[in-house]
Amino acid sequence: MTPESPGESGSAPGLSPDDLLAVLPRLIRLSSAFNKGRLVDRAARAAGPSLDRPAVGVLVSLLAAGEPLRIGEIADRMQVVGPHVTRQVQVLEKRRLVRRIADPLDRRASLIEPTEAGNDAARRYVTTLLGWFAEVLADWPRQDRDDLLRLLARFADDVTARLALPEEDEGAGAS
């Protein structure tokens, strides 16, 4: 399989298939390092015994939001389907890490809010991840760290937005 010419691949002007091909192995290696390095698993263990990634994802979504959320809002933030979040919330409720409260805008609906123990678990998880990344970046010059954070946020936002497009729209945007 050979890369297509820039016009055929939908590359941005000035970005050749060779440029993209050069970065692909690094992206694959980075993804593999995160998965095989069990960084997320280690952070989940730091969050609390018996908390798996999806449960921690719910808690971190709530912590980041800073306010109670509906199941659908949590699912959107985690980029999963609602029933997946519902199951996780039920587990977290039993462990007294989240609770349901009435939605003040719609009494028929519930909002999910973390308990103090749930917020503590989410903070332990985040602290573990951020500490690890801080160690990796400790020797980088300040400008490089700032550039990485800015560009990584932009890249993540653009990738997420692109993946959210219906497939027929993706093809149209690439022409």
Side-chain angles (χ1 to χ4, degrees):
M1 182 173 151
T2 60
E4 300 167 332
S5 70
E8 294 169 353
S9 69
S11 298
L15 189 60
S16 75
D18 289 339
D19 293 335
L20 295 172
L21 194 57
V23 79
L24 185 60
R26 288 182 172 97
L27 289 173
I28 292 169
R29 196 170 73 207
L30 184 61
S31 175
S32 180
F34 284 141
N35 290 328
K36 289 181 182 175
R38 295 175 296 283
L39 174 61
V40 174
D41 292 334
R42 284 188 266 166
R45 281 194 305 277
S50 305
L51 282 179
D52 60 8
R53 285 190 217 186
V56 172
V58 170
L59 292 174
V60 170
S61 294
L62 291 167
L63 179 68
E67 64 183 358
L69 298 173
R70 288 182 177 201
I71 295 280
E73 292 171 313
I74 298 169
D76 288 345
R77 288 168 186 253
M78 293 178 64
Q79 297 182 349
V80 297
V81 294
H84 174 77
V85 172
T86 299
R87 284 189 298 276
Q88 294 305 319
V89 165
Q90 289 168 345
V91 169
L92 291 168
E93 280 180 305
K94 288 178 185 169
R95 298 195 57 200
R96 294 192 168 116
L97 297 172
V98 300
R99 65 180 150 252
R100 292 176 192 265
I101 60 171
D103 184 336
L105 302 176
D106 182 355
R107 289 287 186 194
R108 298 168 298 168
S110 294
L111 297 175
I112 309 303
E113 73 175 0
T115 62
E116 189 60 37
N119 270 334
D120 288 346
R123 283 189 197 101
R124 286 191 301 273
Y125 176 85
V126 169
T127 298
T128 300
L129 282 181
L130 295 181
W132 189 87
F133 284 113
E135 288 176 19
V136 169
L137 299 173
D139 295 332
W140 286 34
R142 178 68 188 191
Q143 185 62 51
D144 288 354
R145 289 191 312 256
D146 291 347
D147 289 346
L148 173 68
L149 297 174
R150 178 181 54 79
L151 293 170
L152 189 56
R154 180 178 173 190
F155 182 67
D157 291 347
D158 288 350
V159 166
T160 302
R162 179 68 180 253
L163 290 173
L165 291 174
E167 286 188 36
E168 61 271 7
D169 289 350
E170 281 185 45
S175 302

